[in-house]
Amino acid sequence: MTDMAERGSAGSGGGRGRGLDVEAVFRPGAPEFTADPYPAYAELRAAGRLHRYEPTRQWLVPRHEDVTALLRDRRLGRTYLHRYTHDEFGRTPPPPDHEPFHLLNDNGLLDLEAPRHTRIRRLVSKAFTPRTVEGLRGYVDGLAARLVAGLVADGGGDLVARIAEPLPVAVIAEMLGIPEGDRAPLRPWSADICGMYELNPSEDTAARAVRASLEFTAYLQELIAERRKEPGEDLVSALIAAHDEGDRLSEQEMISTCVLLLNAGHEATVNTTGNGWLALHRHPGQLAALRADPSLLSTAVEEIMRYDTPLHLFERWVLEDIEIAGTVLPRGSEVALLFGSANRDENAFDAPDTFDVTRPVNPHVSLGGGIHYCLGAPLARIELAAVFRELLAQAPGLRLATDPPPRKPGYVIRGFAELPVEL
């Protein structure tokens, strides 16, 4: 296949960046970059709309206007297999040993395109309804109150392990109908599977993801079989029952949907909780304003998602030749939409580097866009509001015990390994 750089034609001004050493600026493997990528993002935005990053053979897209447009452009896709074979697309198939992960991942909504995406999302939406989400509000609020009360009673602890992780896992498990005694492996399974979403995952990462995919699939096969015999008031039972003009979800589609709901439904919430508390801690004026006026909680949650988003990079394949900033990206190219950069774009936000819990206009991209807009967005907002409401109410003196707290090594999904706090 013709190299993209050979076919591209550089634009001027706000087009493809000139004179920037992209690899010196964009360093996702460097701990100092992962700790604070925002100055680098500002350099990328200032230098142009499009930058070639050779280590991953991707085109970086740093500006808000372009990211939001490309999220909705059907010439790009999360997959290409609905239109091309690997050979036709000029790509090497994944190793056969990785097949259990890809079988699970490639049948989920996040990595499907129309018409399968349209069909599955329509069927899932019959089960995962606004009423289903609203019905969880009482459970979420009660669980958040109990978790925070436990932390307060102990005089502090690890906010990630005590609150940020257990709450969304329990909520998704409750929604799916997974018994409490079966929930312990859910978080490790999710973490191992999500390791494959980082840039250039290692073979060890792939092996853990494959093992977790096999174990999670086997568990869900048993759960689905039980619910077929004895349906309950849970989402697995609703997914089994969901139909549209005789069409139903296959077992693999149900399994992939359940795994996606867990992975996407709690990985983002875990990291948003940690990132958000750190932002509040480091902006005491904003924290004081929120404590003084809890009605600001809804705008504060949106600002927390924008200011330090947990998902920094979202990949898309170029399905048809497309021109961006004067550069033609041929079919087979891959773009990396930089959500973290888009959320700090000075052309989309007033004072983008300022953390403002009263921000009235907040078109952040943390929940995606287009057909892949986050299905669980309403539930995520309920969870985040509940956690921060209880922290503000029950722990007014909460402060970091370790600053800076230790980070997880990932860049694409970015958050803290732990967040020690004390009262």
Side-chain angles (χ1 to χ4, degrees):
M1 176 170 289
T2 304
D3 184 80
M4 289 170 263
E6 292 175 353
R7 288 193 53 184
S9 58
S12 59
R16 180 179 169 187
R18 292 177 179 271
L20 181 72
D21 185 346
V22 176
E23 292 180 39
V25 174
F26 185 75
R27 298 180 299 129
E32 61 272 21
F33 174 87
T34 302
D36 184 12
Y38 297 106
Y41 290 157
E43 287 190 61
L44 291 174
R45 290 194 306 273
R49 295 169 54 197
L50 190 69
H51 305 278
R52 178 68 171 170
Y53 184 62
E54 286 299 337
T56 57
R57 299 177 60 206
Q58 293 174 319
W59 291 93
L60 307 179
V61 181
R63 295 187 183 179
H64 185 277
E65 182 178 8
D66 293 318
V67 168
T68 55
L70 293 175
L71 282 171
R72 293 162 175 79
D73 195 317
R74 304 318 309 147
R75 291 173 294 177
L76 303 181
R78 283 288 294 174
T79 183
Y80 53 79
L81 293 175
H82 61 306
R83 292 177 57 174
Y84 309 103
T85 65
H86 291 296
D87 287 342
E88 289 171 340
F89 208 65
R91 293 286 164 173
T92 302
D97 290 350
H98 296 183
E99 177 60 21
F101 165 79
H102 288 286
L103 179 64
L104 186 62
N105 184 74
D106 296 355
N107 283 282
L109 282 171
L110 187 63
D111 283 83
L112 288 174
E113 294 296 327
R116 277 196 73 198
H117 180 280
T118 307
R119 170 185 157 269
I120 294 175
R121 183 149 184 157
R122 184 177 65 245
L123 287 166
V124 171
S125 295
K126 289 179 177 295
F128 191 46
T129 64
R131 182 177 179 181
T132 300
V133 173
E134 189 58 35
L136 288 165
R137 187 182 292 274
Y139 178 81
V140 173
D141 289 346
L143 180 58
R146 292 192 297 274
L147 290 173
V148 172
L151 184 77
V152 171
D154 291 343
D158 178 5
L159 190 69
V160 171
R162 297 288 300 272
I163 296 173
E165 287 186 344
L167 184 134
V169 173
V171 171
I172 297 296
E174 184 75 11
M175 182 175 67
L176 292 174
I178 296 175
E180 287 193 24
D182 293 350
R183 295 177 183 179
L186 296 180
R187 172 62 175 162
W189 281 339
S190 177
D192 286 345
I193 291 169
C194 288
M196 288 294 279
Y197 304 140
E198 291 297 330
L199 298 175
N200 295 328
S202 67
E203 277 304 311
D204 182 59
T205 297
R208 290 198 303 271
V210 166
R211 182 173 59 251
S213 298
L214 289 169
E215 292 174 357
F216 205 169
T217 293
Y219 175 79
L220 288 171
Q221 286 172 333
E222 291 184 10
L223 184 64
I224 289 169
E226 291 175 7
R227 294 296 184 270
R228 287 191 193 279
K229 294 176 183 177
E230 297 183 29
E233 298 295 323
D234 55 71
L235 187 61
V236 170
S237 299
L239 290 172
I240 293 170
H243 64 88
D244 186 12
E245 298 180 356
D247 187 18
R248 294 181 183 273
L249 294 168
S250 70
E251 181 167 280
Q252 184 59 59
E253 289 167 348
M254 282 190 281
I255 290 170
S256 293
T257 295
C258 291
V259 172
L260 175 62
L261 287 172
L262 175 71
N263 293 350
H266 93 274
E267 285 290 341
T269 307
V270 168
N271 294 317
T272 302
T273 301
N275 295 351
W277 180 254
L278 183 67
L280 286 167
H281 171 78
R282 289 182 172 171
H283 297 84
Q286 296 297 302
L287 178 57
L290 188 55
R291 281 185 172 134
D293 185 2
S295 71
L296 296 176
L297 195 57
S298 61
T299 56
V301 165
E302 299 304 314
E303 180 69 347
I304 284 168
M305 286 193 281
R306 178 200 74 87
Y307 183 77
D308 202 9
T309 182
L311 178 63
H312 275 245
L313 183 151
F314 199 62
E315 297 160 324
R316 289 289 177 90
W317 295 105
V318 177
L319 306 176
E320 303 170 20
D321 291 7
I322 186 172
E323 182 177 320
I324 303 175
T327 298
V328 176
L329 275 57
R331 186 185 81 187
S333 309
E334 190 177 23
V335 298
L337 307 178
L338 300 183
F339 281 16
S341 176
N343 281 347
R344 295 287 191 100
D345 190 335
E346 47 283 319
N347 290 316
F349 302 93
D350 292 333
D353 292 323
T354 298
F355 181 65
D356 180 5
V357 297
T358 69
R359 187 178 295 275
V361 179
N362 199 338
H364 65 77
V365 297
S366 296
L367 297 168
I371 68 168
H372 292 293
Y373 181 78
C374 179
L375 182 68
L379 182 57
R381 289 185 167 107
I382 288 173
E383 292 174 345
L384 291 168
V387 166
F388 285 103
R389 183 187 306 114
E390 293 300 328
L391 286 171
L392 292 168
Q394 295 193 50
L398 195 67
R399 59 190 178 275
L400 283 181
T402 302
D403 194 3
R407 286 194 172 275
K408 291 187 285 190
Y411 157 71
V412 174
I413 301 175
R414 183 170 163 273
F416 294 99
E418 58 183 70
L419 200 67
V421 294
E422 58 190 12
L423 291 164

